[in-house]
Amino acid sequence: MSKPIYNLIHTGGDYVNLDGAPNRWRKAIIKVGEWVDPRDASRKFQVTLDRMKTWVANFEAKLLDRVPAPLRHTDDPRANTGYWQRLELEGETLYGEIEFTDPEVAAKVNDGSIADVSLSVDPAWMHPQQGTTHEVL
């Protein structure tokens, strides 16, 4: 049986370039509300402020060494285009800073060809050393 990982798409807000670096951007990731997994419309997912606070806390605690940013939802490391560097809450919106390591992807963000972002939520990620379960992005 596979784990219930949710994929959610956020289409609001523009990428904002940071420090004039062509590969570092800030982007709204998701807002409070009910979201539908686009792979299965019957799967609804509640995003609350408390849940987003947990994601930020787990990110800052570095439960995962790095949070990759693939173009599509996959576990294949060859599909990675960069890494999320920071998460922060502003009101009811979660923002992230991403650094693209793939120059072609950075160029597509820069020219507007890639405009949206999606995230995967694992509500039961198990820490490989501690054996504890956490909800992570």
Side-chain angles (χ1 to χ4, degrees), residues 100-116:
F100 293 105
T101 55
D102 182 327
E104 291 180 19
V105 172
K108 288 182 182 226
V109 170
N110 193 43
D111 72 18
S113 297
I114 296 175
D116 298 329

Side-chain angles (χ1 to χ4, degrees), residues 15 28 30 87 132:
Y15 281 92
I30 199 160
L87 296 178
T132 53

Side-chain angles (χ1 to χ4, degrees), residues 124-134:
W125 177 80
M126 183 170 291
H127 193 285
Q129 285 86 30
Q130 300 171 4
T132 53
T133 304
H134 308 271

Side-chain angles (χ1 to χ4, degrees), residues 28-41:
I29 299 174
I30 199 160
K31 296 179 180 184
V32 168
E34 182 175 83
W35 295 80
V36 175
D37 188 327
R39 300 170 305 167
D40 181 351

Side-chain angles (χ1 to χ4, degrees), residues 6 16 18-21 27 38 41 47 50 61 63 65 68 70 73 85 92 94 103 115 120 122 127 132 134-135:
Y6 294 84
V16 175
L18 297 173
D19 303 324
K27 174 80 169 128
V47 175
D50 285 339
L63 294 178
D65 290 332
H73 296 276
Q85 303 295 321
E92 294 189 339
L94 178 66
S120 290
D122 187 338
H127 193 285
T132 53
H134 308 271
E135 185 167 292

